[in-house]
Amino acid sequence: MSDLFPLTVRGATTRRRGKVLVGPVDLTLSGNGACVVIGPNGSGKTTLLRLLHGAARLSSGTIDWACPMAKARRAQAFVFQRPVMLRRSVLDNIAYPLIIRGTSRAQARAQARDWAERVGLGDMLDRAAPVLSGGEQQKLALARALIGQPKLLFLDEPCTALDGSAMREIEQILTDAKAAGTRLILSTHDMGQARRLADQVVFLLRGQVHESGPAAEFFETPRTEQARAFLKGDIVE
Amino acid sequence: MSDLFPLTVRGATTRRRGKVLVGPVDLTLSGNGACVVIGPNGSGKTTLLRLLHGAARLSSGTIDWACPMAKARRAQAFVFQRPVMLRRSVLDNIAYPLIIRGTSRAQARAQARDWAERVGLGDMLDRAAPVLSGGEQQKLALARALIGQPKLLFLDEPCTALDGSAMREIEQILTDAKAAGTRLILSTHDMGQARRLADQVVFLLRGQVHESGPAAEFFETPRTEQARAFLKGDIVE
Amino acid sequence: MKMAVTTSFHNSGLAEVLLPEIMKDLDLEVQLLVVGTGQALKLGRAGDVDAILVHSKAAEEVFVAEGFGTHRREIMYNDFVFIGPSADPAAIAGADSAAASLQKIATAQAPFVSRGDDSGTHKKELSLWVAAGLEPAAFGDWYKAVGAGMGAALNTASGMNAYILSDRASWLNFGNKGDLALLYSGDPVLFNQYAYLPVNPALHSHVKTDLAQKLEDWLVSDRAKELIDSYQINGETLFVFNAKPE
Amino acid sequence: MTDLWDGLAQALWLVATFDPELVEIAARSLRVTLSALVVASAIAMPLAALLAVRRFRWRRVIIAILNALMGLPPVVVGLVVYVMLSRAGPFGVLGLLFTPTAMIIAQVIIIVPLIASIAHQSLRDLWQDYHDLLISMNVTQWQKIRTLLWDTRRALLTAALAGFGRAIGEVGAIMIVGGNIDHATRVLTTAIALETGKGDFALALALGFVLIGLAVAVNLAIHWLSRTEREGRW
Amino acid sequence: MTDLWDGLAQALWLVATFDPELVEIAARSLRVTLSALVVASAIAMPLAALLAVRRFRWRRVIIAILNALMGLPPVVVGLVVYVMLSRAGPFGVLGLLFTPTAMIIAQVIIIVPLIASIAHQSLRDLWQDYHDLLISMNVTQWQKIRTLLWDTRRALLTAALAGFGRAIGEVGAIMIVGGNIDHATRVLTTAIALETGKGDFALALALGFVLIGLAVAVNLAIHWLSRTEREGRW
Ligand SMILES: Nc1ncnc2c1ncn2[C@@H]1O[C@H](COP(=O)(O)OP(=O)(O)OP(=O)(O)O)[C@@H](O)[C@H]1O
Ligand SMILES: Nc1ncnc2c1ncn2[C@@H]1O[C@H](COP(=O)(O)OP(=O)(O)OP(=O)(O)O)[C@@H](O)[C@H]1O
Ligand SMILES: [Mg+2]
Ligand SMILES: [Mg+2]
């Protein structure tokens, strides 16, 4: 927690074939709670999250954690927009992060069973993960990310495929994690969810941070024209 | 339109390794407009849509269109929950359905350019489709489905990855299509969207049709306990 | 012990008669490596076999002179024969010498398959052409140097219906005769001497000299003489034992 | 060991001096193998796509057999082709035995299962991706095959290269059907076998190194050429 | 043509009567090839996984070379192994030449590139799926390799079967290093070559059919055994 943050991003940029996907981004994140990244489709939310996590290559600029990079990486987990299912059973998927850290198989499975229960997958432990429904895959990815008790959890639109009650449950789990000291960085298109979870907001537009600040402030009195339009659901130019 | 419907489903069931995923489903769909399939995660929405479309194998029961099966299939299109991107450019992806029907390459591309513009992908025609962002992929899938002017369009949670304004635009496109006589069968977790688009509602629970009827009626006065709970966003048992 | 032998010797089938007897008499298991003459000499030079049995006098003498073999012991001989299409377009059947039949083939420009692999048979064939006053290097398309073992060359000749020089044993044992027939034989220049060469233990200490010696003694014995001389295929005697006692 | 160094030195020498005989047989090797490759690819790739796309009763059995045929003993292939093409055989009248055409036929038989198997793997994986979409679009069998072949062309290149390598290095079959006739059907591999039989291991190795160098060069060239496309990430 | 039918008839006869000589050499073929397969798989599969998982400077070049080596001419492999194992060579003291061990070594060299290339294809595709997740989990290189190998085991089976087929049908190399010694190093393919040289095509073809039958049987058996698992759809 405190040993990861503050996170300092200076001029971070990702390019592909000369085209700038994201950046330059300057950002400082500190303290606890959830930082919600919002922005129109293709504005670079996914790319930014991956960049912060170290899963995408930085073309220029720097990203510095309060501790060495390797240590910071180990304390993080990521739930991807399109969850990746290992070609194994649900149980083995959830237990996987523990097993690669050397936890005994029996213990890992016991914990995985717990987590499957908590996200509502308790009755399909032996099912092959790739055949799960969209929502079930998202739940699995979340359980798999949380089982390792990360200090920082990235979530890329984690509730898109969930039904109403599952969304509420997952939000509850996230709020609990937050209270227990896990720091969240998540992207979402659901402004309701953003309001419920966010302590801090980053508003992206065309690959750049257009506005950022405390959540209450941003949602009440957005400073820029574009943020106001986005919150109303209008097209942002 | 009229030559596809009424659709009559009798005892349709899908099993995998003995386990019933969906069914038995009895259903009759007729007339124009949109039929919205709702239900909790894993209730079988995706499976039912695929079953109706003929993309999943029927284990027992019958699905009858008002015209021969082969003809009915040709008049349909499907937007999958996880859009499939052909490993080609955005333009070639959208043009693909026309090209396989024998439209000349130039004409297909011209139309594809139009549709890309309409869904908001106009400035990334030459990008490789697999690198698109989640929302962009959904838009592409939609344009690709609509370009063939299907009489019946299946949409499996088509707006989950879209931002607010894109969602509004897509809903407008769908409403226009509906007005032009295209019949829609879509699933969604967004009850707001369901209310906006639905003429008829099918509420699935554990693989079976729990309740179905005209949209207005269903949303105002759901007949069953479970439907009421679901609409409130409570856990449905 | 391991012995490298030429394809033609092995194809004759004589090995299958001799080896069990050797096993019986000497309690010695001889493992045969069936390779081309050149390769057999090569294996001997490298010390990978204990002895070799080949039929290419000049090369053998060099082998011994260079010290790779202790000595050269002649064991037996058979003979070469001319094979060709049964219709015999070059009419060599009535020729009075090997040289004459070769001249007829060259004149008729009838297809002729040459081993072309530097083997004992090939060298013999070349020397025969020279003896007939002809120069193989100047031949036209009808002369096919196939670069293959005896069996493969016979297969090719059979496929092309061409003339070929073969040792009698390989020919008699050959199963894919097709339209081919034995057309000429008997000229003494066609004799084909087989010799036994033990590998020099001074160069390769691991060589089983004692076993090689035992085998040599057996090969020149009366017992071997009887077996070799009485070996027949289709009623034809193939080999003539001619080892001289030391 | 000296043979190895001698071989390397000779290989360099042969290549550096453009030894005319080497050039002749190397060119023949390439010509025969490339012809075989084109024919085999034209057969194997659509076949592989068909096996990926169509579900029929014996599909898995056919795939298993195709896998098994990857190991078709070249000598047996050579024999069968020989028997077929020999004058006593059904195609004897064509007079193809001991010609480069016969060698091409044998090579095609040997590499079709290899190319088909390797291609099938990639095609099947892509088909798993595309399956839902193409099925839902009512694409005809033939269009499915074309789409898959086109979109997986880079992997197909690997399959073709594998076939090329196998064909150019093959000797058992073409020795039998080609006959290793000097200036007519002698190629690199049969020349190597010949020199081995002669006991001239150094020359045999030299030719072998030239052959390997040729195969590696073709592979690197193709990989390098397909590099531009790779940038697109698929 | 008659040779073909004779061959088939003889093949049936040999198998039906359990001809002791056939059983001996077929068993030796299987023993040698299976040993080579185990060793080669143990080398090739982790190598393939490493090439899928690690990005280093020469990665693509190594993959291209591996592809090229799929076509390593068996005769050349045989020669190199011979030179190494010969009494005059560096490993001569081991006395391995003309033993089944030498044949296994040659086969391993021949099939490692084949198995690695085919395995690499599947591993790379799975890695594209898994990449993000495993990277984000800070999985060590070795764990990545283990995870990939385990989750793609069915495709690896295909790679192994391809290697098996290639090895059991190979003759050029094992002829040189094994020597085709009766009752010691004679296997099916060298026996076929021998009978071909004798012009006994029918017997050669018969042995060839037995060999092909063996390869097909092994393939079908494995495919059938892995069927249960297939049901899980991956
Ligand atoms: N390899 C690439 N080459 C070219 N463009 C790329 C590449 N990868 C991503 N992009 C583009 O970069 C932009 C940002 O993508 P990103 O996935 O970060 O968007 P996003 O904000 O997550 O969008 P969404 O809300 O739709 O998920 C998109 O327009 C995408 O098409
Ligand atoms: N091959 C299979 N084997 C076993 N179970 C399966 C298989 N395919 C799907 N299922 C299960 O069938 C159920 C229905 O899946 P489906 O994808 O239709 O749900 P859904 O209603 O679309 O859910 P979501 O809202 O999460 O997308 C799920 O619980 C899923 O895990
Ligand atoms: Mg995104
Ligand atoms: Mg679904």
Side-chain angles (χ1 to χ4, degrees):
Chain A
M1 328 162 203
S2 49
D3 46 353
L4 276 177
F5 289 90
L7 161 66
T8 324
V9 183
R10 286 282 157 269
T13 312
T14 307
R15 286 188 204 85
R16 284 281 185 289
R17 303 219 236 177
K19 203 180 141 287
V20 173
L21 298 190
V22 158
V25 171
D26 292 283
L27 204 64
T28 313
L29 293 180
S30 54
N32 288 313
C35 167
V36 174
V37 179
I38 59 176
N41 288 131
S43 58
K45 300 178 293 300
T46 300
T47 313
L48 178 63
L49 261 58
R50 292 167 58 97
L51 210 53
L52 296 181
H53 181 51
R57 224 179 37 256
L58 207 56
S59 303
S60 57
T62 57
I63 295 178
D64 292 307
W65 301 92
C67 64
M69 181 64 188
K71 203 172 152 227
R73 282 291 307 276
R74 268 198 299 280
Q76 303 175 8
F78 203 118
V79 176
F80 295 96
Q81 189 166 3
R82 262 199 189 194
V84 180
M85 296 292 108
L86 297 175
R87 299 185 188 176
R88 303 176 173 200
S89 70
V90 169
L91 190 64
D92 286 344
N93 260 274
I94 302 180
Y96 185 77
L98 294 184
I99 286 174
I100 57 165
R101 287 192 200 173
T103 313
S104 81
R105 200 161 285 264
Q107 210 182 326
R109 292 202 164 191
Q111 281 195 48
R113 206 165 279 126
D114 266 14
W115 272 105
E117 207 65 61
R118 287 180 64 177
V119 298
L121 296 175
D123 52 350
M124 49 190 80
L125 295 177
D126 293 327
R127 207 170 286 175
V131 306
L132 290 185
S133 81
E136 289 160 356
Q137 292 196 7
Q138 257 181 356
K139 293 178 190 171
L140 187 157
L142 202 85
R144 194 172 52 192
L146 283 165
I147 200 171
Q149 296 181 299
K151 291 183 181 162
L152 168 58
L153 178 58
F154 290 95
L155 301 137
D156 197 0
E157 307 191 21
C159 299
T160 47
L162 299 184
D163 63 41
S165 70
M167 174 130 79
R168 284 222 310 239
E169 276 172 54
I170 296 299
E171 280 182 15
Q172 189 55 50
I173 292 175
L174 292 179
T175 314
D176 292 350
K178 215 164 75 169
T182 299
R183 178 81 208 224
L184 305 180
I185 300 185
L186 76 151
S187 77
T188 182
H189 284 302
D190 180 341
M191 288 308 123
Q193 183 172 59
R195 275 172 217 262
R196 287 191 295 275
L197 290 176
D199 296 298
Q200 195 177 353
V201 173
V202 172
F203 174 51
L204 281 184
L205 202 56
R206 275 176 251 108
Q208 296 189 313
V209 177
H210 197 75
E211 195 175 330
S212 76
E217 210 172 281
F218 177 85
F219 287 116
E220 294 317 309
T221 54
R223 268 171 288 140
T224 60
E225 181 71 46
Q226 288 86 345
R228 242 166 286 147
F230 182 75
L231 287 178
K232 273 200 292 174
D234 285 345
I235 294 176
V236 186
E237 281 308 326
Chain B
M1 330 165 198
S2 50
D3 44 353
L4 277 178
F5 289 89
L7 160 66
T8 324
V9 182
R10 287 281 158 269
T13 311
T14 305
R15 286 188 203 85
R16 282 282 183 289
R17 304 219 234 174
K19 204 178 140 291
V20 174
L21 299 189
V22 159
V25 172
D26 292 284
L27 204 63
T28 312
L29 293 181
S30 54
N32 288 311
C35 167
V36 174
V37 178
I38 58 177
N41 288 132
S43 58
K45 300 180 294 298
T46 299
T47 312
L48 178 63
L49 260 57
R50 292 167 57 95
L51 211 53
L52 295 182
H53 180 52
R57 226 182 32 258
L58 208 55
S59 303
S60 57
T62 57
I63 296 178
D64 291 308
W65 301 91
C67 64
M69 182 63 189
K71 205 171 152 229
R73 281 292 307 277
R74 268 198 299 280
Q76 303 175 8
F78 203 116
V79 176
F80 294 97
Q81 190 165 4
R82 263 201 188 194
V84 180
M85 295 293 108
L86 297 174
R87 298 185 188 175
R88 304 178 171 197
S89 70
V90 170
L91 189 65
D92 286 344
N93 260 275
I94 302 180
Y96 185 77
L98 293 184
I99 286 175
I100 56 166
R101 288 194 199 168
T103 312
S104 81
R105 200 160 286 264
Q107 210 183 327
R109 292 202 163 190
Q111 280 195 48
R113 206 165 279 125
D114 267 13
W115 272 104
E117 209 64 62
R118 286 180 67 174
V119 298
L121 297 175
D123 52 350
M124 50 191 81
L125 295 177
D126 292 327
R127 207 170 286 173
V131 306
L132 291 185
S133 81
E136 289 161 356
Q137 293 196 6
Q138 255 179 359
K139 294 177 190 171
L140 188 157
L142 202 86
R144 194 174 50 193
L146 283 165
I147 200 171
Q149 298 181 298
K151 292 183 181 165
L152 168 59
L153 178 58
F154 290 95
L155 303 135
D156 198 0
E157 308 191 21
C159 299
T160 46
L162 299 183
D163 64 40
S165 70
M167 175 131 77
R168 285 220 311 238
E169 277 172 53
I170 297 300
E171 280 183 14
Q172 189 55 51
I173 292 175
L174 293 179
T175 314
D176 291 350
K178 216 164 75 170
T182 299
R183 177 84 208 224
L184 306 179
I185 300 184
L186 76 151
S187 77
T188 182
H189 285 301
D190 179 343
M191 289 307 124
Q193 183 171 62
R195 276 172 217 262
R196 288 191 295 276
L197 291 176
D199 297 299
Q200 193 177 356
V201 174
V202 172
F203 174 51
L204 282 184
L205 203 56
R206 275 176 251 109
Q208 297 188 313
V209 177
H210 197 74
E211 195 174 329
S212 77
E217 207 172 285
F218 177 85
F219 287 116
E220 295 317 310
T221 53
R223 267 171 288 138
T224 60
E225 180 72 45
Q226 287 87 344
R228 239 166 289 146
F230 181 76
L231 286 178
K232 274 200 290 174
D234 285 345
I235 295 177
V236 186
E237 282 308 328
Chain C
M1 71 170 284
K2 292 188 171 73
M3 176 163 75
V5 301
T6 61
T7 341
S8 44
F9 171 70
H10 184 259
N11 283 352
S12 71
L14 181 57
E16 273 133 55
V17 176
L18 296 184
L19 292 189
E21 297 298 326
I22 296 172
M23 186 70 194
K24 224 188 291 165
D25 294 353
L26 302 179
D27 193 26
L28 172 62
E29 191 196 345
V30 178
Q31 298 190 325
L32 287 189
L33 287 135
V34 184
V35 292
T37 308
Q39 200 175 349
L41 291 164
K42 178 87 189 176
L43 293 179
R45 275 169 211 264
D48 291 320
V49 290
D50 304 302
I52 58 182
L53 182 67
V54 291
H55 61 109
S56 180
K57 193 166 179 198
E60 290 160 22
E61 279 166 352
V62 172
F63 184 79
V64 174
E66 286 175 352
F68 291 108
T70 49
H71 58 277
R72 172 173 181 273
R73 187 82 182 265
E74 297 192 339
I75 304 290
M76 60 195 169
Y77 68 87
N78 66 350
D79 66 338
F80 289 111
V81 296
F82 283 106
I83 309 296
S86 51
D88 194 11
I92 66 167
D96 47 9
S97 71
S101 44
L102 283 180
Q103 277 157 349
K104 287 185 173 188
I105 292 171
T107 314
Q109 304 227 332
F112 184 92
V113 169
S114 161
R115 287 281 294 275
D117 63 349
D118 269 354
S119 61
T121 311
H122 182 221
K123 286 174 181 155
K124 185 70 170 188
E125 178 214 314
L126 290 180
S127 73
L128 288 173
W129 284 114
V130 173
L134 294 162
E135 179 47 61
F139 289 160
D141 220 16
W142 57 271
Y143 183 80
K144 321 254 186 205
V146 297
M150 194 68 252
L154 278 169
N155 279 329
T156 308
S158 159
M160 297 200 297
N161 225 9
Y163 288 94
I164 184 170
L165 178 73
S166 165
D167 62 285
R168 189 183 291 271
S170 295
W171 166 249
L172 286 177
N173 253 323
F174 188 65
N176 180 35
K177 291 192 170 74
D179 195 31
L180 297 183
L182 193 165
L183 295 176
Y184 178 83
S185 67
D187 190 329
V189 303
L190 292 177
F191 286 167
N192 179 28
Q193 181 66 51
Y194 280 88
Y196 177 79
L197 297 94
V199 171
N200 192 349
L203 287 175
H204 301 285
S205 52
H206 58 268
V207 168
K208 303 185 178 96
T209 322
D210 45 336
L211 295 182
Q213 187 58 50
K214 256 168 81 180
L215 179 61
E216 180 178 341
D217 292 344
W218 188 90
L219 280 173
V220 301
S221 69
D222 288 343
R223 174 110 180 88
K225 176 177 165 54
E226 185 196 322
L227 286 167
I228 291 170
D229 283 345
S230 64
Y231 180 64
Q232 289 185 333
I233 301 177
N234 304 340
E236 279 192 59
T237 305
L238 285 176
F239 289 94
V240 180
F241 179 87
N242 70 340
K244 299 177 217 31
E246 291 280 285
Chain D
M1 273 311 263
T2 48
D3 281 329
L4 220 54
W5 307 130
D6 282 2
L8 266 177
Q10 276 198 45
L12 289 177
W13 179 249
L14 286 174
V15 171
T17 59
F18 269 105
D19 183 86
E21 215 167 328
L22 176 73
V23 171
E24 183 199 322
I25 60 174
R28 189 175 299 118
S29 272
L30 269 182
R31 205 168 56 242
V32 167
T33 300
L34 288 178
S35 312
L37 184 59
V38 169
V39 176
S41 298
I43 298 170
M45 289 178 180
L47 174 69
L50 189 71
L51 284 175
V53 161
R54 246 187 99 156
R55 311 275 121 168
F56 50 93
R57 209 162 141 49
W58 292 98
R59 193 175 142 270
R60 285 190 61 82
V61 172
I62 290 184
I63 293 171
I65 291 177
L66 215 55
N67 279 331
L69 291 189
M70 261 201 271
L72 261 190
V75 186
V76 178
V77 174
L79 279 178
V80 172
V81 174
Y82 178 97
V83 168
M84 290 294 167
L85 296 185
S86 89
R87 261 170 302 99
F91 304 107
V93 286
L94 302 177
L96 291 177
L97 203 58
F98 306 126
T99 65
T101 311
M103 298 156 81
I104 293 172
I105 293 174
Q107 288 195 346
V108 166
I109 296 177
I110 290 174
I111 62 177
V112 158
L114 179 72
I115 297 181
S117 284
I118 300 187
H120 177 255
Q121 266 202 44
S122 316
L123 289 164
R124 187 195 52 197
D125 286 352
L126 190 66
W127 177 238
Q128 286 208 349
D129 273 18
Y130 281 15
H131 176 268
D132 285 353
L133 183 67
L134 298 201
I135 290 290
S136 112
M137 283 184 180
N138 267 301
V139 172
T140 66
Q141 211 75 282
W142 177 233
Q143 285 170 330
K144 280 180 205 162
I145 291 175
R146 285 215 339 214
T147 303
L148 284 184
L149 289 177
W150 178 248
D151 285 0
T152 191
R153 56 195 178 280
R154 285 217 331 118
L156 295 184
L157 206 65
T158 310
L161 283 175
F164 173 82
R166 178 81 198 265
I168 203 165
E170 137 59 24
V171 59
I174 57 175
M175 184 66 118
I176 296 177
V177 302
N180 189 22
I181 299 172
D182 208 3
H183 301 303
T185 55
R186 182 161 303 163
V187 292
L188 278 170
T189 49
T190 56
I192 294 171
L194 173 62
E195 296 306 331
T196 306
K198 283 188 194 171
D200 191 348
F201 286 6
L203 182 52
L205 282 168
L207 292 173
F209 293 138
V210 171
L211 177 51
I212 295 174
L214 207 66
V216 171
V218 168
N219 269 272
L220 286 181
I222 301 276
H223 271 260
W224 190 79
L225 283 177
S226 71
R227 218 191 149 102
T228 358
E229 223 190 329
R230 173 170 54 93
E231 300 286 305
R233 241 195 76 112
W234 63 67
Chain E
M1 274 311 263
T2 48
D3 282 329
L4 222 53
W5 307 131
D6 282 2
L8 266 177
Q10 275 198 48
L12 289 177
W13 178 248
L14 287 173
V15 171
T17 57
F18 269 104
D19 182 85
E21 216 168 327
L22 176 74
V23 170
E24 184 200 321
I25 60 173
R28 188 174 302 115
S29 271
L30 269 181
R31 205 166 56 242
V32 167
T33 300
L34 289 178
S35 312
L37 183 60
V38 169
V39 176
S41 297
I43 298 170
M45 289 177 180
L47 174 69
L50 190 72
L51 284 174
V53 160
R54 247 188 97 158
R55 312 273 121 167
F56 49 93
R57 207 164 143 47
W58 292 98
R59 192 175 143 270
R60 286 193 62 82
V61 172
I62 290 183
I63 292 172
I65 291 178
L66 214 57
N67 280 332
L69 293 190
M70 262 201 271
L72 261 190
V75 185
V76 177
V77 174
L79 279 177
V80 172
V81 174
Y82 170 89
V83 167
M84 292 294 166
L85 296 185
S86 143
R87 287 292 172 173
F91 304 108
V93 286
L94 302 178
L96 291 178
L97 201 61
F98 306 134
T99 64
T101 311
M103 296 155 79
I104 292 173
I105 293 173
Q107 289 196 344
V108 166
I109 296 177
I110 290 173
I111 62 177
V112 158
L114 179 71
I115 297 182
S117 285
I118 301 187
H120 177 255
Q121 267 202 46
S122 316
L123 288 164
R124 187 196 54 198
D125 286 351
L126 189 65
W127 177 238
Q128 286 207 349
D129 272 19
Y130 279 15
H131 176 268
D132 285 351
L133 183 67
L134 298 200
I135 290 291
S136 113
M137 282 185 181
N138 267 300
V139 172
T140 65
Q141 210 75 281
W142 177 233
Q143 285 170 329
K144 281 180 205 163
I145 292 175
R146 285 217 336 215
T147 303
L148 283 183
L149 288 177
W150 177 249
D151 285 1
T152 191
R153 56 195 178 280
R154 283 217 332 119
L156 293 185
L157 205 66
T158 310
L161 284 175
F164 173 82
R166 178 82 199 265
I168 204 165
E170 138 58 26
V171 59
I174 56 174
M175 184 65 117
I176 295 177
V177 302
N180 191 22
I181 300 172
D182 209 4
H183 301 303
T185 55
R186 180 160 303 162
V187 292
L188 277 170
T189 50
T190 57
I192 294 171
L194 182 68
E195 297 306 332
T196 306
K198 286 190 194 164
D200 192 348
F201 284 6
L203 182 51
L205 282 168
L207 292 173
F209 293 138
V210 171
L211 177 51
I212 295 173
L214 207 65
V216 171
V218 168
N219 268 273
L220 286 181
I222 300 276
H223 271 260
W224 191 79
L225 283 177
S226 71
R227 217 192 150 102
T228 357
E229 225 189 330
R230 173 170 55 92
E231 300 286 304
R233 239 196 80 108
W234 63 65

